[in-house]
Amino acid sequence: MKLTESYVPHVIAWNLTRRCDLACAHCYISAGAWHSGADELPTARCLEIVDQILEVNSSPMLILSGGEPLLRTDLETIAAHAHAGGATVVVGTNGLGLTDERITSLKTAGVSGVAVSVDSLDPHYHDRFRHGAGALADTLAAVERLRTSRLDFIVQTSVTAGNRDEIVRIGEWAEAAGAVSFNVYFLVQTGRGDRMKGLSPAENDAVLLDLLELEVRFRGRMMVRAKCQPQIMRHAHEAKIESSLLDYATRCPCGVQYCRITPEGKVTPCPYMPAVAGDLNEATFGEVWETSTVFRLLREGELGGKCGRCEYREVCGGCRARAYARDGDFLDADLSCSYEPAGTAELVQAGAVTYGAAGGTESPIEGGGLVWTPEAEQRIRRIPSFVRPVVARRIESYARRHGEADITVELIDRIREEMPVDFSRRAPFFVRDRK
C-alpha cells in the first residue's frame, strides 16, 4: 500500500499488555498486577500485524511497551520478527525484569535499545510514585547492566510538582550513566493520570527552558526531549539556538507520523489519547491508517482556540492528547501553554526536513548536487525513517565542508569515526551497518 509521504507511520507504540509488576500513579493505561493476559493479542496475530505495519512503512521505529512488556514470554519472538522485516525495535520497561539473561535475549532478538523510567534519584519519591518498594534500586541496577552489555538505553522521567526541581540533576545523571536520550514527559490527565494535577503553564515553561539548556549542553552526547509538551519548539525558536529540534517540518505527530496499538488491537493516535481510530480485529493496519476519520481530522482539521490563531501553530500546535483529555475535542486548545498569541504576528515556519526523506541519488538538501552511491543509499535506508532525514542532512553538510562530491559508505564511516566515541557507536541514532 502506497501512502503519501506526509502521512507515513514512522513511529508505532504498541502496548502489548496491561499486566505490570508496578502500579504507577500516572499510568495512562491503568496497568497493574490485577490484569490478565486473556484479552491480549496472541503471538500469531501480533506477527500478522507486524507484517501489516511493514507493508505501510518498511523501516519504522516500533516501541514495544505495556504495562510491562517483559511479562510477555513472546516479546522476543515479536521483536525478532519485526527486526528481520526491517523495523528498528525498542522496548519500554520499568527495568525490574532486566536481568543479564533477559538483556542478552533482547539483543539476540534484534532489539536496538531499551527505555527505562527513573522519576527521581530519591528512592522514597520514585518508589512511592511507582508503587513498588525497592523499584529505584532495581532500575538503577538494570541501567548498569545495560551499560555493561552495551545495549542502548533511554532514561524517561515524568515531571510533577514533586520532582520538578530534580529534573536537571536527573538529566545530568542520565548523561553520566551513558543514556542515548533523556525524555521528560509532561502529564496528560488520562488513565490513572486523571487523578493528578499537572504543572501550571508557567512551571511548564520553566522546565522547558531547563531542558533546552541541557539539550545545548549535551549535544552530540545525549539527546534531550520534551514529550507531550511541543511548546518547547516555541522556546527553541525564541532562543534562536542551533538544534535538531528545529529541523523537522512537523508539530505534534500523533495520527500524522505516530500512533499507538492497544493490547486488544485498537489503534489510537498516541498512547495518551484513547480516541479509537480503528480496530485491527476488523481491518488491516494500512486500512486504519489510510481511512480513519480520527486520523483525517488530526491531519487536516483546523486547530481551535488560541492554538488555532497562534503564530507557532505549524511548529508546535499544542498537545492534541491534552486537549482531548480536557473536553473530548482533540482539535481544541492545549491550555497547559502560557503563551497568548496576538493573532497578528507572522506565522513561524516549520523546519525544512520532512519525515521520511532519505537522500537518494540526487541530493535533496541545500539545492542538490551531491550523489549518493547505491551502497550508501542502502546503508541510510537501514535506519529508522523518522531520523533518516536529519542524518542525511548532516552527512551532506559534512561532505560539502570537505569538498566531497559523492556520498559513499567510506565517507559515512569516516563521519561516524569523527563523532564522540561513545555516541558514534549508538544505534538507531546514527548510520551503522546492520547485518
Side-chain angles (χ1 to χ4, degrees), residues 9-232:
H10 294 288
V11 181
I12 299 99
W14 194 341
N15 297 123
L16 289 172
T17 180
R18 281 188 168 81
R19 291 176 288 151
C20 191
D21 39 8
L22 296 177
C24 305
H26 65 309
C27 182
Y28 61 81
I29 202 170
S30 299
W34 53 89
H35 290 289
S36 76
D39 295 330
E40 297 169 6
L41 295 171
T43 306
R45 185 71 186 116
C46 289
L47 301 185
E48 290 173 358
I49 292 172
V50 167
D51 291 339
Q52 292 173 10
I53 292 170
L54 294 172
E55 287 179 6
V56 178
N57 181 2
S58 62
S59 55
M61 170 78 81
L62 186 61
I63 304 169
L64 301 179
S65 185
E68 177 46 61
L70 295 180
L71 295 178
R72 282 197 63 145
T73 57
D74 60 355
L75 175 63
E76 283 84 349
T77 300
I78 298 168
H81 188 75
H83 171 73
T88 295
V89 183
V90 298
V91 171
T93 172
N94 59 36
L96 303 191
L98 282 175
T99 62
D100 287 328
E101 293 76 17
R102 199 66 192 268
I103 291 171
T104 298
S105 178
L106 292 173
K107 290 179 68 175
T108 301
V111 170
S112 296
V114 172
V116 295
S117 297
V118 176
D119 295 302
S120 174
L121 297 175
D122 175 1
H124 176 72
Y125 178 92
H126 179 95
D127 293 359
R128 181 165 52 87
F129 187 72
R130 295 274 164 182
H131 290 187
L136 178 63
D138 289 343
T139 300
L140 296 185
V143 166
E144 184 57 34
R145 287 192 288 272
L146 289 168
R147 178 164 62 176
T148 300
S149 70
R150 297 189 67 80
L151 179 58
D152 295 342
F153 65 93
I154 292 169
V155 171
Q156 307 198 131
T157 300
S158 295
V159 61
T160 69
N163 68 354
R164 178 263 169 275
D165 292 332
E166 196 184 355
I167 292 299
V168 171
R169 181 180 170 224
I170 298 172
E172 292 171 337
W173 167 82
E175 192 277 331
V180 169
S181 184
F182 176 47
N183 295 344
V184 176
Y185 285 78
F186 290 72
L187 179 72
V188 176
Q189 291 175 296
T190 188
R192 276 199 295 271
D194 66 359
R195 310 171 192 170
M196 299 177 63
K197 181 180 179 181
L199 300 180
S200 70
E203 290 171 326
N204 285 333
D205 280 348
V207 175
L208 292 175
L209 291 173
D210 285 343
L211 295 182
L212 277 181
E213 289 182 7
L214 290 176
E215 202 274 338
V216 172
R217 190 167 145 199
F218 295 136
R219 187 173 304 143
R221 304 202 303 275
M222 178 182 77
M223 296 197 305
V224 178
R225 294 293 183 263
K227 300 296 183 177
C228 307
Q229 192 70 196
Q231 289 83 358
I232 195 170

Side-chain angles (χ1 to χ4, degrees), residues 224-243:
V224 178
R225 294 293 183 263
K227 300 296 183 177
C228 307
Q229 192 70 196
Q231 289 83 358
I232 195 170
M233 300 294 287
R234 171 173 60 83
H235 289 290
H237 277 274
E238 290 176 341
K240 295 181 171 58
I241 65 171
E242 181 184 346
S243 171

Side-chain angles (χ1 to χ4, degrees), residues 379 408-418 431:
R379 174 80 70 87
T408 64
V409 168
E410 292 74 20
L411 178 65
I412 292 173
D413 288 340
R414 193 170 89 213
I415 296 170
R416 183 167 163 253
E417 288 302 316
E418 292 183 10
V431 185

Side-chain angles (χ1 to χ4, degrees), residues 239-379:
K240 295 181 171 58
I241 65 171
E242 181 184 346
S243 171
S244 61
L245 287 169
L246 304 179
D247 286 337
Y248 283 112
T250 189
R251 56 189 192 199
C252 175
C254 68
V256 181
Q257 288 106 12
Y258 177 52
C259 67
R260 180 270 296 261
I261 302 172
T262 72
E264 302 80 19
K266 301 290 196 304
V267 181
T268 78
C270 82
Y272 300 92
M273 190 192 300
V276 176
D279 189 339
L280 297 180
N281 296 297
E282 301 173 357
T284 67
F285 179 85
E287 289 168 343
V288 173
W289 183 260
E290 190 173 44
T291 66
S292 165
T293 299
V294 171
F295 288 161
R296 179 180 58 80
L297 290 171
L298 283 165
R299 296 164 189 173
E300 302 172 4
E302 295 292 329
L303 298 181
K306 68 178 185 179
C307 286
R309 64 178 186 273
C310 183
E311 63 269 30
Y312 291 97
R313 61 184 177 272
E314 293 299 321
V315 298
C316 169
C319 173
R320 300 298 94 221
R322 191 173 289 106
Y324 183 82
R326 184 173 66 88
D327 62 9
D329 182 358
F330 47 68
L331 295 177
D332 206 351
D334 174 3
L335 298 185
S336 71
C337 179
S338 67
Y339 188 71
E340 290 296 335
T344 57
E346 183 178 353
L347 186 67
V348 176
Q349 297 300 314
V353 179
T354 302
Y355 273 162
T361 56
E362 189 69 23
S363 168
I365 308 297
E366 300 174 12
L370 294 178
V371 176
W372 289 69
T373 66
E375 295 79 12
E377 186 174 357
Q378 183 180 31
R379 174 80 70 87

